[in-house]
Amino acid sequence: MTTINKLQQALNSAKGLQADLKTFSMDTEDQQAKQMFNQLSTNLDTTIQMLQGRVDFVNSEEPQYLQQSLGMQQQQKNQQQAQQQNKNNQNKLR
């Protein structure tokens, strides 16, 4: 796995975690837990921005990675959408 793939994977994992934390926040009625999930989600913004900056830098320095990175981004986006749809379906069944 190339460096750009690892960076992109880390970025997508961070975005997925952030989405999960936001979902947890919406799913709980415990105000303390809700606040904790929101704070964790907010803290991840900095990490996501830093990772995105590194991905952008690597893409600008190594143009051959750009096309590969775009393909991986689309694949990760599709996986995240499928995961979110599964969560939505599970919530509807409850």
Side-chain angles (χ1 to χ4, degrees):
M1 184 179 276
T2 65
T3 299
I4 192 67
N5 288 355
K6 290 177 185 177
L7 284 169
Q8 193 65 49
Q9 186 175 20
L11 176 61
N12 288 326
S13 293
K15 288 179 179 180
L17 176 57
Q18 186 178 45
D20 286 343
L21 291 168
K22 288 178 180 180
T23 300
F24 296 156
S25 174
M26 290 185 288
D27 287 348
T28 187
E29 294 181 19
D30 181 336
Q31 291 303 313
Q32 190 174 16
K34 186 180 291 281
Q35 183 179 7
M36 178 191 68
F37 291 134
N38 283 328
Q39 182 63 45
L40 290 169
S41 174
T42 300
N43 290 346
L44 269 174
D45 281 334
T46 302
T47 301
I48 289 169
Q49 290 173 8
M50 291 174 74
L51 285 169
Q52 185 65 60
R54 188 63 188 164
V55 166
D56 294 343
F57 174 79
V58 171
N59 282 332
S60 70
E61 291 293 310
E62 303 290 342
Q64 71 270 21
Y65 290 143
L66 184 58
Q67 190 62 35
Q68 183 179 355
S69 176
L70 292 174
M72 188 166 180
Q73 280 178 339
Q74 186 60 43
Q75 181 182 16
Q76 291 290 337
K77 184 178 177 181
N78 292 344
Q79 288 174 348
Q80 287 176 347
Q81 287 174 343
Q83 288 173 346
Q84 188 61 41
Q85 185 63 39
N86 286 340
K87 286 179 187 177
N88 291 342
N89 290 341
Q90 289 174 351
N91 286 338
K92 287 179 183 177
L93 294 174
R94 292 181 186 168

